[in-house]
């Protein structure tokens, strides 16, 4: 009987001891390691950090100091600095990220696009209802010897930046500054045409029918009679 009890008791005691040390080891591990956000892949300069760029990793506490962004909320929405890149699995260091960048407009360009700056005092435009991200159309009027010619020149030009007369960026929440310069995302091949249009006629900028769309590209109205005067 005693032998039978021992056969049951000894394994139970051994299991209890193993469980105790396992719990202690886990507690020690938990006390020395913390969850932090690291790069899920190689992130290049001027990338806007989003959820897909982050993954969680446990690291020793001593790796985390005031130079590191440990919380997701501190990382999202920031840009990787110029001349920096963040390797896969790397912590997000404060020196590698920034906000309110001066060259924000260029980060919004798509492949084949260029940023075209239009000074509002050289065109007809009501900037009061316009904002970054909206689409606008460019209409050109040319006064000829016979009669004025007016037509759509370029449509779906995305506003990628608004600036005051001194070139300072006007942020969305800024309701006081006066717009002096508009930066538009246009096809690189159309830049010379806009330049010619500015010299031979008068440009008027109006909101596009799909002004709040998100997937449009600027398009030249190549069938317009305006091109008889833009050769």
């Amino acid at each position: 009987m005693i032998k039978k009890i021992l056969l049951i008791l000894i394994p139970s005691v051994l299991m209890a001891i193993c469980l105790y040390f396992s719990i202690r080891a886990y507690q020690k591990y938990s006390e020395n390691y913390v969850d932090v956000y690291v790069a899920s892949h190689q992130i290049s300069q001027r990338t806007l950090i989003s959820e897909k760029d982050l993954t969680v990793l446990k690291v020793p506490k001593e790796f985390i100091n005031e130079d590191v962004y440990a919380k997701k909320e501190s990382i999202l929405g920031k840009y990787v600095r110029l001349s920096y890149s963040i390797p896969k699995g790397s912590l997000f260091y404060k020196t590698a990220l920034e906000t309110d960048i001066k060259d924000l407009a260029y980060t919004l360009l798509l492949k084949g696009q260029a940023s075209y700056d239009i000074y509002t005092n050289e065109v007809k435009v009501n900037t009061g209802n316009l904002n970054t991200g909206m689409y606008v159309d460019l209409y050109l009027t040319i006064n000829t010897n016979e009669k004025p010619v007016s037509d759509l020149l370029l449509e779906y030009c995305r506003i990628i930046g608004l600036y005051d007369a001194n070139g300072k960026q006007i942020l969305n929440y800024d309701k006081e500054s006066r717009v002096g310069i508009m930066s538009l995302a246009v096809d690189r091949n159309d830049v010379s045409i806009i330049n010619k249009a500015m010299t031979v006629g008068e440009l008027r900028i109006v909101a596009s029918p799909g002004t709040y769309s998100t997937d449009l590209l600027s398009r030249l109205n190549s069938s317009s009679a305006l091109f008889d005067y833009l050769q």
Side-chain angles (χ1 to χ4, degrees):
M1 182 69 177
I2 295 176
K3 185 177 180 180
K4 188 175 182 180
I5 293 175
L6 290 174
L7 289 174
I8 297 174
L9 185 60
I10 291 174
S12 299
V13 172
L14 291 175
M15 288 180 62
I17 293 173
C18 290
L19 181 61
Y20 170 79
F21 283 106
S22 296
I23 293 174
R24 290 288 297 169
Y26 178 76
Q27 288 177 336
K28 186 177 181 180
Y29 173 83
S30 299
E31 291 171 357
N32 293 323
Y33 283 76
V34 293
D35 288 339
V36 295
Y37 287 88
V38 299
S40 62
H41 59 97
Q42 175 86 14
I43 307 176
S44 60
Q45 62 179 357
R46 280 300 178 255
T47 299
L48 175 62
I49 304 298
S50 62
E51 292 272 3
K52 65 180 177 59
D53 301 313
L54 308 180
T55 188
V56 178
L57 184 69
K58 283 189 177 295
V59 300
K61 279 185 177 180
E62 57 266 26
F63 282 17
I64 307 303
N65 55 47
E66 61 182 12
D67 298 325
V68 173
Y69 286 121
K71 296 182 179 180
K72 178 170 66 174
E73 295 75 16
S74 302
I75 302 170
L76 294 176
K78 289 184 169 61
Y79 289 85
V80 181
R81 288 182 183 273
L82 283 173
S83 302
Y84 279 75
S85 66
I86 302 177
K88 180 179 180 180
S90 171
L91 297 170
F92 288 91
Y93 290 92
K94 294 179 180 179
T95 54
L97 302 178
E98 63 180 336
T99 55
D100 298 332
I101 59 177
K102 291 184 178 180
D103 56 335
L104 176 63
Y106 298 109
T107 69
L108 303 177
L109 293 174
L110 302 177
K111 185 177 180 180
Q113 289 187 328
S115 175
Y116 194 93
D117 293 336
I118 292 181
Y119 289 79
T120 57
N121 62 353
E122 297 179 353
V123 299
K124 290 188 176 295
V125 58
N126 177 10
T127 59
N129 297 319
L130 300 179
N131 212 334
T132 302
M134 295 173 63
Y135 290 87
V136 293
D137 295 341
L138 273 59
Y139 282 83
L140 176 63
T141 299
I142 301 174
N143 289 313
T144 68
N145 293 328
E146 301 173 358
K147 61 179 180 179
V149 178
S150 183
D151 199 0
L152 172 69
L153 177 67
L154 206 65
E155 61 182 344
Y156 303 132
C157 301
R158 182 163 44 97
I159 301 174
I160 56 176
L162 296 174
Y163 305 87
D164 64 19
N166 297 316
K168 182 180 178 182
Q169 183 180 4
I170 300 175
L171 302 177
N172 289 343
Y173 55 79
D174 185 349
K175 305 301 181 184
E176 303 298 326
S177 298
R178 184 181 180 86
V179 178
I181 307 169
M182 297 177 58
S183 289
L184 304 179
V186 301
D187 190 294
R188 189 177 301 276
N189 297 321
D190 297 336
V191 171
S192 60
I193 294 173
I194 304 176
N195 286 339
K196 290 180 181 179
M198 295 284 288
T199 62
V200 301
E202 181 180 71
L203 277 180
R204 179 181 293 272
I205 299 176
V206 299
S208 299
T211 188
Y212 297 112
S213 300
T214 58
D215 56 352
L216 301 176
L217 296 176
S218 66
R219 185 169 57 195
L220 194 68
N221 183 19
S222 55
S223 61
S224 173
L226 290 169
F227 285 89
D228 293 337
Y229 305 89
L230 293 175
Q231 302 302 322

